[in-house]
């Protein structure tokens, strides 16, 4: 083993990182278990536990090993790590134009060309009629007409869109991914962690025969007072709601037994020798049997009943006696039903993926208001579901965290990987959620749509503006030679000079006014396409026609009022 | 090469089909069904062709009805409209002069028949509006001595109403009118 | 004016009533599945395929389809050019007409192969009967059929699942044999019945009432006249076109002409709806085109009835300059609106002598070039604007724009942009060039704003493949012959190439299913936006030129 510079590390190298050291680059832990401080990427100060094997083995360059050590295998070549890509994204160096952006840029370029030709050809036409046109006026007209407003803002809108995604703590690998999110037809969501609180919550304390409800409640409370997991906290909450309380002082010198994968239970040993445990039913059974205790006859039946309803039973034991079972239940996150309704209004279908049996899955699907569900889903079922939707021509988005999700993430048109997930999953996805909160996909969809709408709206506005500019400038250009064109001066602008100047000033003023809209994006509310179109056309199309008429007239009145022209 | 050959064969085949067979078949059928119209609706006096009932011919005599002005000088080998720009001062001036000319013959004329002071599109407009024909009655009556009422009756009898009662405008064929006039006056 | 309104209304109702049956028939014509029509036309078509060496089952991708179209059109162009250049030595020349000079022959051959029918010659003194048949009547069939074919091919691409646009040769053969030939024959016979000549005999010498000589020219007029309107061609046998009593002898023939030229362009829009299995979409496009048409028609109608203010006060009602008594003002206005909408280009009155706003209508409809438009290409132009509208509206609902489930992306917009750009370029640039050269200014007959309109009209007519003219312009100079010739070529083929490329690209795309998030393109709202986009893009492009020409002329009209 030797010290090397992080820049020399190549894919496949094995590195050992000690507590307090920075992890040199992206990789997978192949040995050891450590708490890692990922605040550099996520902003979350609490360290996360990562260990070899399983879904929590990936580490990111730039994060710090807070305790213990890890041996990791380097998974990226220099310059391609997550952090590198993030930096380049931020720098915009690798920002590729999205298909819609290219299409729009083409259209704007053509409009510019058309205007250029219109103005150049105007010279001989006017010349034939004996009207000299001066260059300054022609340039003023060109500047007013060409869609500079939107042209200049196009990139800004794209970058602002990505920035908005980033503000949600989601890292998009490309602007294309964000735009694609706006086109999504189908969302495939994991039930666990997305639709329901991944950590199940205590719903009921069920005593075995011979134990009172109060006893099991208190025993559950005791077993969980020092358990900081969400499940543990939900047990405490429920017990307190049921009227139990506990004195913190009593447990001060208690020895805490952490949950491990081997024991599959947790709890504490009090100073007075009492041992309290809660855990998987068979683990507790084994534990009690080893202690010489007796397994109550109705335990199995209660546990089965809970499992069948889609819940998780946790047995609670005090010393060598099993008191009963904590019923941990999946709970649909509040507000989700509304969000799914919104998605439906946008025309997006939601599919829930779950390992539950069909019965449970159906219950939760109904409760959450998703359109469809896949029960007892295996990873390959997810891919099959995505492919099926895609065969119908739909664009599919999904979230995932495990290595086994990687193929599905790659298959999906938009894959949102959880930062807590594996390297493979993150590689396969085109977006990474630093907070590991899968519901954010919904926000990303909205941002994607908002991005396109902003482009469309500003383009429409910009083109619609030209109508008024024509009515300001064309009569002004020719009115000296053709007095009859005064009839076209429908804004009744004071003089040719002030007409041209007003149009120019309006043009100069409107760009800065549009920048905030470009940056923030136009207001987006989930609605059907028809409603969105009606609203946006009215606002930016009709508005685009009217605003410059009013604006130019006002400027003209000001210019004239102050005798500037 | 095969593509080019196909293109040539297609072009030649269609040329013969549409450019030769079709017009020839049509001609055969037309000549069999409507020989008079197919040959140009000619008006003959014995062996002499006087003209076509569909084409106006030059008339200068004040004793006859004058057709509308012709930018083609009534020569069918060079059909033409006047192609004047009607919104120009020159044009307005000329038309006003013509109106004045017209009013010399008809001092009481109020509504000027617009076809009488304008050139036709083809140069051979065979028709006049009944009003335009009637505007000439005074002159013809003066020069020929035929009673105004008689000429007016002639115009009325030769006036064609709208086709099917709907399409086109009421009109009177100038050549037919002049021939009838000549017959009547035995000029 | 009241009776005029009735005439116009009845004509439009007749056209509307024919749209559905004819549209349905067109769908059958281009449907390769077996239909009842096969029994009538099948044997004849199979014989023609055998002579032409066409394998009718052979499918073509967009490139092959385009190749076949360009190649065959080129061969036809050469054949036509040769006929014009050699007519003196060829048969069927009873009036002894000389060979056509090269620049004019180029212009004429291009004009007819592109369905433009711009004429810098007068048929009665520049073409032999054989030339009228082989260099005029013949391409009237094939250019119309070509336009039809590419429109249908485009629609196939729109709804297809692979790059298979059909077979070009089969499409034009079917169009000619199942639509154009039978219809033309029937209409031609009706025209003869009404007075249109159809004879192989040369001109006849007449001795007029006053004893003067009048040479009455005639020929195989009816057979040309019928396909001229059915195929939205527009080129007349005689110089003054359908104003000439031999081309358009009665109000009834005038009605037949108008119905014929509007028949297929309007029906094709309905057929489009049928073919994409979205009748509502067809009607939406129809409504947009129909709306613009009605506004234009109303403008020219009112303008011509109003006439010149200064003359109205002198007692002259309406503008009859360049118009024929048998048609009057209303049917001249309707004919004008129809011929420039359907880009036929035939005229029953002299457009140059329209009032400024009447001339404006003719110019504007050709500048938009998609108010029903010529055979097939009009629909294509409409669909081009539809694609642009969908693109802009699609963005505004937050989805990558899609039409009939096919995504409109960079490639399609690029191609559509080319087609969009080319039209103003080939109108404005040559107009500017012409007004720069004293030699070409010398061709102008009316001075000032109207003179500007003359030149602008010539190139607009060429670019839109319309063929009508402000006939005062002497276009038989090398500059205009070659210039307008090139404009016609570019105007016709560049947009067809771009549109077929779009078809090829769309054909290969997978279809996205419709959801509530999908932009619906057949609603009244979208149709309204569609109209606005056509008008706004058209106005932004041509407003300055129109302002200097007809608009300024109108505003300066003598009072």
């Amino acid at each position: 083993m030797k010290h090397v510079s992080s820049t020399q590390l190549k894919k496949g190298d094995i590195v050992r990182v000690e507590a307090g050291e920075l992890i040199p680059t992206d990789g997978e832990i192949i040995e050891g278990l450590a708490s890692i401080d990922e605040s550099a990427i996520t902003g979350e100060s609490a360290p996360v536990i990562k260990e070899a094997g399983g879904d929590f083995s990936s580490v990111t360059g730039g994060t710090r090993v807070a305790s213990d050590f890890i041996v990791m295998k380097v998974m990226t070549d220099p310059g391609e790590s997550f952090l590198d890509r993030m930096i380049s994204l931020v720098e915009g160096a690798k920002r590729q134009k999205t298909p819609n952006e290219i299409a729009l840029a083409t259209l704007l370029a053509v409009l510019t060309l058309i205007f250029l030709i219109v103005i150049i050809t105007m010279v001989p036409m006017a010349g034939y009629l004996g009207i000299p046109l001066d260059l300054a006026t022609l340039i003023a007209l060109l500047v007013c007409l060409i869609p500079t407003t939107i042209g200049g803002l196009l990139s800004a809108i794209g970058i602002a869109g990505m920035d908005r995604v980033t503000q949600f703590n989601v890292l998009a690998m490309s602007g294309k991914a964000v735009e694609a999110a706006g086109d999504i037809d189908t969302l495939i969501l994991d039930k666990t962690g997305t639709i329901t609180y991944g950590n199940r919550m205590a719903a009921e304390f069920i005593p075995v025969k011979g134990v009172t409800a109060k006893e099991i409640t208190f025993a559950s409370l005791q077993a969980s007072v020092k358990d900081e997991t969400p499940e543990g906290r939900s047990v405490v909450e429920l017990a307190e709601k049921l009227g139990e309380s506990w004195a913190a002082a009593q447990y001060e010198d208690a020895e805490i037994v952490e949950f491990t994968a081997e024991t599959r239970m947790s709890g504490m040993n009090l100073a007075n020798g009492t041992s309290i445990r809660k855990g998987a039913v068979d683990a507790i059974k084994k534990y009690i049997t080893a202690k010489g205790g007796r397994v109550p006859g109705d335990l199995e039946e209660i546990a089965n009943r809970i499992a069948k309803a889609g819940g998780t039973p946790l047995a609670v034991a005090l010393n060598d006696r099993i008191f009963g079972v904590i019923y941990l239940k999946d709970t649909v996150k509040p507000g989700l039903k509304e969000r799914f309704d919104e998605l439906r209004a946008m025309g997006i279908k939601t599919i829930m993926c779950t390992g539950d049996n069909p019965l449970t899955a159906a219950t939760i699907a109904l409760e959450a208001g998703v359109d469809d569900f896949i029960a007892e889903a295996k990873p390959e079922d997810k891919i099959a579901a995505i492919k099926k939707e895609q065969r119908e021509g739909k664009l599919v988005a999904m979230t995932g965290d495990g290595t086994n999700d990687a193929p599905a993430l790659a298959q999906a048109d938009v894959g949102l990987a959880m930062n807590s997930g594996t390297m493979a999953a993150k590689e396969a996805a085109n977006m990474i959620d630093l907070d590991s909160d899968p519901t954010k996909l919904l926000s990303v969809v909205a941002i994607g749509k908002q991005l396109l709408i902003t482009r469309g709206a500003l383009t429409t506005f910009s083109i619609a503006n030209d109508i008024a500019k024509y009515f300001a400038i064309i009569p002004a250009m020719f009115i000296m030679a053709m007095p009859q064109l005064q009839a076209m001066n429908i804004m009744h602008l004071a003089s040719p000079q002030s007409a041209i100047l007003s149009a120019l000033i309006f043009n100069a003023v409107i760009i800065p006014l549009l920048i905030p809209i470009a940056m923030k994006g136009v207001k987006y509310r989930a609605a059907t396409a028809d409603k969105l179109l009606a609203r946006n056309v009215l606002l930016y199309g009709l508005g685009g026609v009217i605003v410059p008429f009013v604006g130019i007239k006002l400027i003209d009145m000001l210019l004239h009022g102050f005798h500037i022209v | 090469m095969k593509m080019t050959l196909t293109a040539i064969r297609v072009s030649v085949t269609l040329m013969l089909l549409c450019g030769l067979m079709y017009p020839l078949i049509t001609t055969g059928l037309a000549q069999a069904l409507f020989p008079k119209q197919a040959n140009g609706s000619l008006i003959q006096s014995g062996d002499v062709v006087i003209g076509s009932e569909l084409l106006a011919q030059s008339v200068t005599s004040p004793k006859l009805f004058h057709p509308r002005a012709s930018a083609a000088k009534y020569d069918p080998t060079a059909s033409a409209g006047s192609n004047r720009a009607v919104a120009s001062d020159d044009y307005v001036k000329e038309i006003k002069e013509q109106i004045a000319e017209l009013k010399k013959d008809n001092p009481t004329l109020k509504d000027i028949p617009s076809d009488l002071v304008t050139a036709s599109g083809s140069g051979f407009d065979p028709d006049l509006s009944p009003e335009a024909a009637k505007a000439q009655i005074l002159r013809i009556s003066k020069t020929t001595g035929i009673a105004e009422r008689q000429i007016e009756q002639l115009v009325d009898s030769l006036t064609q109403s709208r086709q099917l009662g709907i399409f086109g405008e009421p009109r009177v064929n100038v050549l037919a009118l002049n021939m009838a006039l000549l017959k009547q006056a035995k000029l | 004016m009241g009776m005029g309104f009735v005439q116009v209304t009845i004509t439009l109702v007749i056209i509307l009533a024919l749209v559905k049956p004819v549209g349905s028939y067109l769908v059958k014509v281009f449907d390769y599945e077996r239909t009842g029509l096969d029994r009538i036309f099948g044997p004849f078509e199979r014989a023609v395929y055998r002579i032409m060496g066409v394998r009718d089952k052979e499918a073509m991708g967009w490139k092959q389809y385009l190749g076949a179209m360009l190649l065959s059109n080129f061969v036809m162009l050469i054949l036509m050019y040769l006929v014009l250049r050699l007519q003196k030595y060829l048969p069927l020349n009873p009036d002894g007409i000389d060979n056509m000079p090269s620049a004019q022959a180029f212009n004429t051959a291009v004009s007819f192969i592109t369905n433009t029918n711009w004429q810098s010659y007068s048929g009665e003194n520049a073409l032999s009967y054989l030339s009228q048949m082989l260099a005029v009547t013949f391409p009237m069939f094939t250019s119309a059929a070509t336009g039809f074919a590419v429109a249908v091919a485009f629609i196939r691409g729109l709804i297809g699942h692979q790059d298979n646009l059909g077979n070009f040769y089969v499409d034009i053969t079917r169009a000619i044999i199942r639509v154009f030939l039978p219809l033309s024959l029937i209409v031609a016979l009706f025209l003869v019945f009404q007075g249109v000549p159809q004879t192989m005999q040369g001109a006849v010498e007449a001795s007029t009432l006053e004893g003067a000589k009048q040479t009455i020219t005639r020929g195989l007029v009816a057979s040309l006249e019928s396909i001229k309107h059915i195929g939205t061609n527009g080129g007349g046998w005689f110089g003054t076109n359908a104003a000439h009593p031999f081309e358009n002898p009665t109000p009834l023939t005038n009605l037949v002409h108008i119905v014929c030229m509007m028949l297929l362009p309007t029906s094709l829009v309905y057929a489009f709806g049928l073919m994409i299995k979205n009748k509502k979409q067809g009607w939406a496009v129809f409504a947009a085109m129909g709306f613009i048409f009605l506004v234009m028609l109303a403008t020219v109608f009112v303008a011509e009835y109003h006439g010149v203010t200064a003359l109205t006060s002198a007692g002259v009602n309406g503008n009859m300059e360049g118009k024929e008594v048998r048609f009057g003002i209303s049917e001249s206005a309707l004919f004008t609106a129809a011929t420039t909408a359907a880009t036929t280009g035939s005229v029953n009155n002299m457009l140059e002598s329209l009032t400024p706003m009447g001339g404006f209508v003719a110019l504007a409809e050709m500048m938009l070039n998609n108010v029903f438009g010529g055979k097939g290409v009009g629909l294509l132009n409409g669909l081009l604007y539809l694609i642009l509208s969908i693109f802009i509206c699609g963005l505004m609902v937050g989805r990558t724009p899609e039409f009939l489930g096919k995504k409109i992306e960079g490639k399609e917009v690029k191609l559509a942009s080319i087609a969009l750009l080319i039209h103003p370029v080939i109108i404005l640039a040559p107009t500017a060039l012409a007004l720069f050269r004293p030699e070409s200014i010398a061709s102008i007959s009316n001075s000032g704003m109207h003179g500007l309109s003359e030149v602008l009209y010539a190139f607009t007519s060429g670019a839109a493949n319309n063929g009508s003219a402000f006939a005062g312009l002497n276009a038989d100079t090398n500059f205009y012959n070659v210039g307008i010739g090139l404009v016609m070529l570019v105007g016709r083929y560049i947009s067809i190439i771009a549109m077929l490329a779009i078809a090829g690209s769309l054909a290969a795309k997978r279809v996205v299913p419709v959801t509530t998030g999908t932009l619906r393109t057949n609603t009244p709202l979208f149709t309204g936006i569609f109209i606005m986009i056509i008008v706004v893009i058209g106005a932004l492009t041509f407003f300055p030129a129109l302002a200097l020409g007809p608009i300024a002329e109108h505003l300066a009209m003598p009072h």
Side-chain angles (χ1 to χ4, degrees), chain C residues 311-489:
Chain C
L311 291 176
T312 311
S313 52
V316 181
N317 286 315
N319 174 26
M320 276 301 284
E321 183 70 36
K323 293 187 182 62
E324 300 277 298
V325 169
R326 59 194 181 284
F327 309 133
I329 291 177
S330 73
E331 283 175 14
S332 298
L334 177 60
F335 201 105
T336 303
T339 194
T340 46
T343 70
T344 305
S346 66
V347 294
N348 78 346
N349 67 98
M350 294 298 110
L351 301 192
E352 173 127 30
S353 294
L354 289 170
T355 57
M357 286 320 280
F360 169 87
V361 165
L363 262 173
E365 282 193 320
M366 294 190 297
M367 284 166 169
L368 296 179
N369 200 15
N370 56 19
V371 187
F372 295 113
K375 199 96 313 123
V377 286
L379 177 64
L380 279 189
N381 272 312
L383 295 182
L384 162 72
Y385 276 87
L386 193 65
I387 286 176
L388 291 173
S389 307
I390 287 169
F391 179 69
I392 291 173
C393 291
L395 289 180
M396 278 204 282
V397 302
R399 276 172 76 97
T400 297
E402 62 206 42
F403 179 45
L404 301 176
K406 308 251 175 140
K407 286 207 182 312
I408 311 279
E409 291 168 301
K411 191 174 175 192
E412 288 75 37
V413 173
K414 265 183 207 165
L415 290 165
S417 295
I418 293 173
L420 183 72
L421 174 67
I422 209 74
H423 190 58
V425 169
I426 59 175
I427 290 174
L428 295 176
T431 302
L433 183 63
L435 294 176
F436 219 69
R437 303 170 72 249
E439 310 88 295
S440 33
I441 288 176
S443 283
I444 297 172
S445 70
N446 285 289
S447 60
M449 298 162 283
H450 202 81
L452 172 69
S453 300
E454 270 180 24
V455 179
L456 183 65
Y457 198 100
F459 288 106
T460 307
S461 178
N465 295 145
N466 180 288
S468 66
F470 271 16
L473 182 79
N474 170 24
D476 186 19
T477 68
N478 284 345
F479 174 80
Y480 288 107
N481 273 329
V482 175
I484 296 173
L486 293 175
V487 165
M488 291 188 286
L489 278 177

Side-chain angles (χ1 to χ4, degrees), chain C residues 40 55 85 93 112 122 192 213 215 257-258 300 303 327 333 356 391 409 430 469 542-543:
Chain C
I40 312 165
R55 275 174 305 172
R85 293 287 284 145
N93 188 3
F112 283 93
S122 266
V192 177
K213 288 267 166 271
T215 308
H257 287 333
I258 294 177
V300 61
F327 309 133
F391 179 69
E409 291 168 301
F542 295 111
F543 183 74

Side-chain angles (χ1 to χ4, degrees), chain A residues 100 103 110 117-118 122 128 182-183 185 344-347 392-394 449 452-453 460 470 484 488 529-530 536-537, chain C residues 392 395-400 413-414 417 425 428 432 448 510-511 513 515-518 520 529 540-541 543-544 552 556:
Chain A
N100 281 314
V110 163
I117 288 159
V118 166
M122 222 153 83
Y128 170 74
D183 283 349
D185 299 290
R344 204 165 299 117
M346 294 180 203
E392 292 169 21
K394 297 179 181 173
K449 285 191 178 293
L452 293 185
I453 295 176
T460 309
Y470 262 145
Q484 73 265 27
M488 274 170 55
D530 289 349
N536 289 327
V537 162
Chain C
I392 291 173
L395 289 180
M396 278 204 282
V397 302
R399 276 172 76 97
T400 297
V413 173
K414 265 183 207 165
S417 295
V425 169
L428 295 176
R510 62 181 189 182
V511 177
T515 69
T516 52
T518 310
R520 287 192 298 151
I529 298 171
L540 290 180
T541 313
F543 183 74

Side-chain angles (χ1 to χ4, degrees), chain A residues 1-4 6 9 13-36 59-74:
Chain A
M1 204 178 296
K2 58 179 181 185
H3 279 273
V4 288
S6 66
L9 290 174
D13 289 351
I14 310 283
V15 198
R16 182 181 164 111
V17 189
E18 296 285 346
E21 287 178 345
L22 279 177
I23 294 170
T25 182
D26 300 352
E28 299 263 353
I29 302 175
I30 53 172
E31 191 188 327
L33 179 153
S35 62
I36 311 245
V59 288
T60 312
T63 56
R64 185 182 297 276
V65 177
S67 67
D68 304 285
F69 73 91
I70 54 166
V71 173
M72 58 172 276
K73 189 177 185 183
V74 175

Side-chain angles (χ1 to χ4, degrees), chain A residues 191 308-310 329-330 332 352 356-370 373:
Chain A
K191 183 196 79 172
K308 265 190 195 147
K329 195 181 150 188
D330 249 355
V332 174
M352 179 180 84
D356 293 334
N357 61 59
L359 207 68
T360 320
T363 316
I364 301 215
L366 193 72
E367 205 177 317
V370 294
F373 64 87

